[in-house]
Amino acid sequence: MTTFAGLPTPPALPAGMAGRPSMADTHDRWPFPEALSYLISRRMTGRLTLYPSGVILHLNDGRVDGAQGHRLLGDVLLEQGLVNVDDLTAALITGGLLGQTLLRARRLTALQLRGALRQQVRGALRDVLATPPERYEFVPGTALPSPSAGVPGGEVLAEALTRGGTLPLGTIFQLAPVTAPVSMTPDQWALLRWVNGRRSLRRAVQLSGLPDDLAFTAARQLIELEVVEHSAITELKFIVAQLKPASSVRQPPAGIRGNLFIKYMDGTQDVWSVVQKLNFPPEEAASLLCAMHRDDLLDIVQGRAEFQRLLEQY
């Protein structure tokens, strides 16, 4: 069925495809801007559904390619004067994806369609960031057909940080792979040198020695430039582990904190929830989890691809 939105719903792919996990959470537990930042920094492809609004953001390799359930594409095209009502009616009668139909009919150029899609996406982002969803769900899927909005992840993050007015200070960042040359200011470098995938952004700001206002500005710029990304520690949100039965070769850890940690590895709750209950530093939990798995004390029952990424760093 074709609508003015002109966007298909991509078929869902199996959870964990190519290391891309399905994800469902609430804004209270994991603030939506931080979750969006994670999806972008992990360069995920699929659809992000927001509740109760029902808005769907279509992601492609960390870019936002389309917004569904917000403002209709037909309305945007009419407002911009790119089509008239007769063009729109004829395209809807023809069927198929609205944008593609108008392209084939030579009523739009690819550049005009992309511009309209970008305006549609930016409007949706402004609204959902101004009023974050109560809960959200990401499901891996296929990318939308070209031309699409292709709004860069750095631009989306800049909007999220500006709208939210706060930084994800509790998030642990690491250096991101950067293929193009990047010019760094002294303040940006003073902060970046403390980003190591182990300490929170708050701690990196403290260690940088910069005044808070300069440090926060540098942090926003580094995130927007996409030279930092979420650490593998974030994957604790998707990992569920289970204690193996004790045997002559598998004995519980000797330390008190290790015993307390492993007590909660019951195969029913993700490791991040355990970290919150125990008030353990996330990096300590990551080290314990990987060490206990190497000692053959734990089975990973959910999030194996995410655990493998964590294991490579710990």
Side-chain angles (χ1 to χ4, degrees):
M1 177 179 180
T2 302
T3 69
F4 278 21
L7 295 174
T9 299
L13 299 181
M17 173 183 175
R20 299 325 199 213
S22 293
M23 181 182 81
D25 219 317
T26 65
H27 178 68
D28 288 342
R29 182 176 181 272
W30 193 12
F32 174 69
E34 291 188 26
L36 183 61
S37 172
Y38 170 81
L39 293 171
I40 289 171
S41 70
R42 294 271 67 79
R43 299 188 179 278
M44 294 191 181
T45 298
R47 65 182 188 271
L48 177 61
T49 306
L50 316 180
Y51 301 98
S53 68
V55 170
I56 299 174
L57 300 177
H58 295 266
L59 305 184
N60 177 20
D61 195 33
R63 300 183 300 274
V64 182
D65 269 359
Q68 189 173 356
H70 186 255
R71 194 173 180 209
L72 301 177
L73 176 60
D75 290 344
V76 176
L77 294 171
L78 287 172
E79 182 183 83
Q80 292 184 344
L82 296 175
V83 299
N84 56 41
V85 173
D86 291 340
D87 292 332
L88 200 57
T89 302
L92 291 171
I93 292 173
T94 300
L97 299 178
L98 178 59
Q100 298 294 322
T101 300
L102 290 168
L103 280 177
R104 288 194 297 270
R106 298 180 183 275
R107 298 299 183 185
L108 279 181
T109 66
L111 188 61
Q112 288 172 328
L113 176 57
R114 171 161 287 190
L117 289 170
R118 286 195 168 191
Q119 180 171 327
Q120 185 187 35
V121 165
R122 287 170 178 145
L125 285 169
R126 282 194 297 270
D127 284 356
V128 300
L129 289 169
T131 307
E134 294 175 9
R135 58 190 179 90
Y136 48 86
E137 179 181 16
F138 174 79
V139 177
T142 55
L144 294 176
S146 183
S148 57
V151 177
E155 180 181 325
V156 177
L157 294 180
E159 178 74 15
L161 292 171
T162 301
R163 290 276 164 178
T166 59
L167 287 168
L169 294 175
T171 299
I172 298 173
F173 286 94
Q174 64 186 22
L175 301 183
V178 178
T179 55
V182 177
S183 297
M184 305 288 293
T185 67
D187 286 350
Q188 290 169 352
W189 174 243
L191 179 60
L192 185 65
R193 62 193 292 264
W194 295 104
V195 174
N196 65 353
R198 296 290 192 275
R199 55 176 67 98
S200 68
L201 181 58
R202 179 181 291 103
R203 183 60 178 150
V205 164
Q206 293 169 346
L207 292 170
S208 71
L210 295 170
D212 283 352
D213 57 341
L214 296 181
F216 293 163
T217 297
R220 284 190 175 88
Q221 293 167 343
L222 292 176
I223 294 171
E224 292 166 21
L225 288 170
E226 300 182 73
V227 296
V228 296
E229 63 180 14
H230 282 238
S231 163
I233 288 176
T234 307
E235 311 293 4
L236 294 176
K237 295 177 182 290
F238 311 108
I239 299 170
V240 177
Q242 182 172 296
L243 176 64
K244 290 183 176 182
S247 71
S248 58
V249 294
R250 286 194 294 271
Q251 298 296 329
I256 294 176
R257 290 175 71 83
N259 268 293
L260 185 59
F261 178 77
I262 207 169
K263 173 185 175 183
Y264 285 89
M265 299 296 105
D266 56 5
T268 64
Q269 53 191 328
D270 61 82
V271 179
W272 188 260
S273 296
V274 174
V275 169
Q276 301 300 103
K277 288 178 182 177
L278 297 177
N279 198 28
F280 276 17
E283 58 271 30
E284 179 185 3
S287 296
L288 284 171
L289 181 69
C290 292
M292 290 176 180
H293 181 266
R294 292 189 181 100
D295 290 340
D296 202 26
L297 297 174
L298 294 174
D299 276 327
I300 305 300
V301 299
Q302 183 177 309
R304 291 185 177 88
E306 293 72 54
F307 176 71
Q308 185 58 42
R309 181 168 177 265
L310 187 71
L311 196 61
E312 289 171 359
Q313 296 193 19
Y314 281 84

